[in-house]
Amino acid sequence: MLFIAILDGLQREYKIWENEKLIYQILMPSLDEEIAYRGVLIGLFSTILNKKKTIFLSKINPVILVTSILFGLIHSLKIEINLDFYFNSYVFVKTFFYGFIWGWIAIKTKSLLLPILFHSVSNVLPFLVTYLK
């Protein structure tokens, strides 16, 4: 996860230091997204989907898979001002991977604390790497 966050930071370009953006990245996405995806959606889908299915010769929790796909889609689909849609496959794969790991951690620990912490780190690290390069 740290490797992906550092690579993401190396690809970004910010011109000026923005304290508001840093504070926002530390607090908001990790809190609201983790509560929504790993808290509410995992809870809802757990009542609907079976616990484990055999997918690709290993047991994968379908709840984590579905919420990770939704997490990746919501981050990778963009709408422009003229209502043109576009899909960023790099962002989808990156956020799907993050969502899968954070979902697995949330289910294993039965807590949102670690996913919130890791989400904050993965949002802030690219921001800091951008300014250090």
Side-chain angles (χ1 to χ4, degrees):
M1 272 185 356
L2 292 175
F3 179 72
I4 293 172
I6 291 170
L7 279 178
D8 193 25
L10 292 173
Q11 294 175 350
R12 296 181 187 183
E13 288 191 28
Y14 294 120
K15 300 296 180 205
I16 50 176
W17 181 265
E18 300 174 44
N19 290 332
E20 297 85 15
K21 193 170 200 170
L22 178 63
I23 292 168
Y24 175 81
Q25 288 297 330
I26 290 172
L27 298 175
M28 288 311 297
S30 59
L31 288 175
D32 63 358
E33 289 178 356
E34 291 307 314
I35 289 170
Y37 286 93
R38 265 52 80 184
V40 174
L41 285 180
I42 282 181
L44 289 174
F45 286 133
S46 292
T47 61
I48 300 169
L49 299 173
N50 293 334
K51 289 291 180 196
K52 293 190 179 172
K53 298 272 185 194
T54 302
I55 302 173
F56 302 118
L57 302 175
S58 66
K59 292 201 180 246
I60 295 176
N61 191 328
V63 173
I64 298 173
L65 192 61
V66 169
T67 56
S68 301
I69 290 170
L70 291 174
F71 189 70
L73 284 175
I74 205 72
H75 283 82
S76 60
L77 291 172
K78 302 292 180 198
I79 303 173
E80 304 242 335
I81 292 174
N82 59 359
L83 298 180
D84 286 338
F85 288 88
Y86 72 93
F87 177 78
N88 187 330
S89 57
Y90 168 73
V91 172
F92 175 78
V93 170
K94 179 180 71 165
T95 54
F96 170 81
F97 173 73
Y98 281 149
F100 194 86
I101 297 297
W102 297 331
W104 181 81
I105 291 170
I107 286 179
K108 289 295 181 187
T109 63
K110 294 181 174 70
S111 171
L112 292 179
L113 186 60
L114 282 177
I116 288 171
L117 179 67
F118 289 140
H119 197 146
S120 292
V121 169
S122 70
N123 284 343
V124 171
L125 193 58
F127 182 80
L128 294 175
V129 167
T130 303
Y131 289 109
L132 293 175
K133 67 177 180 174

